Amino acid sequence: MGAGALAICQSKAAVQLKEDMKKIVAVPLNEQKDFTYQKLFGVSLQELERQGLTENGIPGIVWNIVEYLTQHGLTQEGLFRVNGNVKVVEELRLKFESGMPVELRRDGDVCSAASLLKLFLRELPDSLITSALQPRFIQLFHDGRNDVQESSLRDLIKELPDTHYCLLKYLCQFLTKVAKHHMQNRMNVRNLATVFGPNCFHVPPGLEGMKEQDLCNKIMAKILENYNTLFEVEYTENDHLKCENLARLIIVKVSNLVFNFQYCYNFGQKILFNSFS
């Protein structure tokens, strides 16, 4: 290498080093930490639980995403159907796994967060509806049956491993909220099932896989449509509504009582005033 070429290489190296130093200085001091890398994608739910990365069976990353989408994405048109920016999704993935603090409202957007959730489910080593139980789910709906007993489906769902059951319940609870805003987001139960069927069931490639996927999407729709009874939360939610109605009734009665007391007090004052006049 000649002296001129060597000088050019040294100059480029110096410029690159300078740029790298600028990036390091630009990072706030509170973020210049040694974060522990923790693989979150492509890891079994049981392993995440063993590592203390779940709470009540819900992976922390899923909780983070769902909370963000609940606050900022329920009315976004095309939620889950419109994919997020690939680069942003990958950056969010790396940031979550690096252990750095992630604020989705600052670091991402609704579409990217939605895509990240689908990616997490899709990369589970064993699908949310486990491969061991998937044939039995499909058998329930074999030959296009629409008369599947909810009790049979509920019993089968209960056979899922605890971590899979808890996450499925949490996911379906969230998706039913999304479906309630379908007039704004254009994502009814059928549309959501079409999106999440492939993410919750893993089917083989090819023509047979396509047929199986169609059945899996129908199963997903059935689960979402009957979320309350399948996960036995109907009474809990009804009781919650009853409590809210009772609270409103108490407030109204107390308000009426205060009004009546005030009226009687004013009326008594008027009588006393007239008596001494």
Side-chain angles (χ1 to χ4, degrees):
M1 181 182 292
L6 180 61
I8 291 173
C9 288
Q10 290 175 338
S11 176
K12 286 183 177 179
V15 170
Q16 184 61 50
L17 178 61
K18 188 175 181 181
E19 290 299 318
D20 291 341
M21 290 300 294
K22 281 182 180 179
K23 290 178 181 178
I24 293 173
V25 173
V27 177
L29 289 176
N30 62 346
E31 291 188 17
Q32 294 181 25
K33 302 175 183 177
D34 292 328
F35 295 103
T36 304
Y37 178 80
Q38 189 75 61
K39 187 171 173 61
L40 300 174
F41 291 77
V43 180
S44 72
L45 295 176
Q46 290 83 354
E47 179 62 20
L48 291 176
E49 183 179 51
R50 189 187 68 79
Q51 294 180 25
L53 299 173
T54 66
E55 184 69 33
N56 296 323
I58 313 302
I61 183 173
V62 173
W63 185 88
N64 197 319
I65 295 171
V66 167
E67 285 297 303
Y68 168 73
L69 292 176
T70 300
Q71 294 179 31
H72 305 286
L74 290 181
T75 60
Q76 175 135 341
E77 187 171 346
L79 179 64
F80 292 117
R81 186 189 298 159
V82 179
N83 291 325
N85 181 282
V86 175
K87 183 179 179 181
V88 175
V89 173
E90 184 60 23
E91 287 174 350
L92 287 174
R93 170 181 178 155
L94 293 174
K95 199 164 187 178
F96 269 111
E97 293 194 325
S98 71
M100 295 176 66
V102 180
E103 187 181 333
L104 288 169
R105 192 172 184 179
R106 176 197 65 196
D107 302 324
D109 54 76
V110 169
C111 291
S112 297
S115 292
L116 194 66
L117 176 60
K118 292 187 291 183
L119 180 65
F120 177 86
L121 295 171
R122 193 162 58 248
E123 292 200 356
L124 286 173
D126 195 1
S127 50
L128 191 53
I129 302 297
T130 61
S131 56
L133 289 176
Q134 184 167 311
R136 292 172 59 190
F137 275 90
I138 292 173
Q139 190 62 40
L140 279 179
F141 288 76
H142 194 57
D143 297 327
R145 287 177 56 193
N146 293 316
D147 60 341
V148 175
Q149 294 295 318
E150 288 180 20
S151 59
S152 300
L153 186 55
R154 181 170 61 246
D155 290 343
L156 196 49
I157 289 173
K158 285 182 177 179
E159 289 189 42
L160 289 167
D162 288 345
T163 50
H164 287 248
Y165 178 89
C166 291
L167 181 53
L168 179 64
K169 179 179 179 180
Y170 182 73
L171 176 67
C172 291
Q173 180 188 46
F174 167 60
L175 294 181
T176 56
K177 290 180 183 177
V178 174
K180 287 178 181 177
H181 293 81
H182 68 93
M183 293 298 291
Q184 294 98 344
N185 58 41
R186 308 297 180 189
M187 295 300 289
N188 57 28
V189 165
R190 186 175 298 276
N191 292 337
L192 288 169
T194 301
V195 171
F196 278 89
N199 294 302
C200 294
F201 295 82
H202 291 176
V203 302
L207 182 60
E208 288 303 312
M210 291 176 63
K211 293 179 180 178
E212 189 171 316
Q213 187 62 71
D214 185 56
L215 270 178
C216 291
N217 293 350
K218 291 179 180 178
I219 297 170
M220 195 70 202
K222 183 80 171 181
I223 293 174
L224 292 177
E225 288 168 352
N226 300 278
Y227 164 76
N228 285 342
T229 52
L230 291 177
F231 291 97
E232 299 179 334
V233 297
E234 183 177 21
Y235 296 110
T236 302
E237 293 188 357
N238 283 344
D239 288 345
H240 178 68
L241 290 173
K242 288 177 182 177
C243 287
E244 286 186 347
N245 292 333
L246 180 60
R248 293 192 188 99
L249 182 62
I250 291 172
I251 291 172
V252 170
K253 287 188 174 181
V254 169
S255 298
N256 289 337
L257 182 62
V258 171
F259 174 79
N260 291 335
F261 176 81
Q262 187 66 43
Y263 176 81
C264 292
Y265 176 80
N266 292 339
F267 186 71
Q269 289 289 93
K270 185 175 181 181
I271 292 174
L272 287 173
F273 178 78
N274 291 335
S275 299
F276 292 100
S277 297

